[in-house]
Amino acid sequence: MKQVYGVVGWKNSGKTGLMERLVTEITGRGYSVSTIKHAHHSFDVDQPGKDSHRHRVAGAQEVLLASGARWALMHELRAQDEPSLSFLLEKLEPVDLILVEGYKRDTHRKVEAHRQETGNPLIAPHDDTIRAIASDVKVQSDRPVLHLDDTKAIADFILSDLGL
């Protein structure tokens, strides 16, 4: 079974910065980590005019771009439904931990990133999959509340919660 933990929160809550710091902290402890990022909008990792973009625009279902440094597989949905998180998790190679940014409606364990300046309410009171809150202010909660900038404590919590 793959170990999966999520970071969720409203827009501008600090999710991406927290994800980046968690990857650095957890890999620094010797664990292998992969990530999945959910985008609510259309995105493109390809560049118009590049050969791989030309292949995709011509109608290729998948385009695999490879070099000596990395490879990337682009899969066009072409009116198919967005794939589920479980489907995407199966695409990843085995690692110690997969950190997921977004996918707040899925059932994996999560930490909620929260910034007071956004003015958004906490998601946690209505979501039992949120195991802790990482906030820049003290908040009332029945879950552990950690400071958003205390990456070590958040990483400790996640790894402990997963038994790693």
Side-chain angles (χ1 to χ4, degrees), residues 2-17:
K2 294 185 177 184
Q3 295 280 21
V4 177
Y5 218 95
V7 174
V8 297
W10 300 111
K11 183 178 180 179
N12 297 321
S13 63
K15 297 181 302 291
T16 301

Side-chain angles (χ1 to χ4, degrees), residues 5-153:
Y5 218 95
V7 174
V8 297
W10 300 111
K11 183 178 180 179
N12 297 321
S13 63
K15 297 181 302 291
T16 301
L18 179 55
M19 284 279 293
E20 181 180 11
R21 294 189 314 272
L22 285 171
V23 170
T24 300
E25 176 70 26
I26 294 170
T27 59
R29 297 181 188 194
Y31 293 98
S32 58
V33 177
S34 290
T35 66
I36 293 179
K37 159 76 171 123
H38 186 257
H40 290 284
H41 47 79
S42 180
F43 70 93
D44 204 337
V45 296
D46 213 357
Q47 300 292 322
K50 296 292 185 182
D51 294 347
S52 55
H53 186 268
R54 292 171 60 191
H55 296 182
R56 196 167 46 92
V57 170
Q61 184 71 28
E62 291 187 322
V63 177
L64 196 145
L65 180 61
S67 74
R70 71 189 51 86
W71 64 271
L73 176 63
M74 292 170 280
H75 180 96
E76 288 295 308
L77 292 176
R78 306 225 188 265
Q80 297 171 351
D81 290 339
E82 180 178 346
S84 67
L85 177 58
S86 60
F87 174 83
L88 296 173
L89 288 168
E90 292 303 317
K91 300 292 184 189
L92 296 177
E93 295 290 321
V95 292
D96 296 318
L97 174 62
I98 301 169
L99 289 173
V100 177
E101 182 177 343
Y103 288 95
K104 66 180 164 228
R105 290 180 181 87
D106 279 82
T107 60
H108 58 284
R109 299 176 201 186
K110 306 169 189 83
V111 61
E112 178 177 357
H114 175 264
R115 278 198 184 133
Q116 182 179 29
E117 70 183 38
T118 66
N120 290 315
L122 288 172
I123 300 167
H126 309 290
D127 186 342
D128 291 337
T129 66
I130 294 175
R131 308 288 289 238
I133 298 165
S135 180
D136 61 352
V137 295
K138 291 187 180 201
V139 295
Q140 292 297 105
S141 178
D142 60 346
R143 326 280 159 86
V145 178
L146 307 162
H147 195 280
L148 184 58
D149 294 330
D150 192 348
T151 308
K152 182 184 179 311

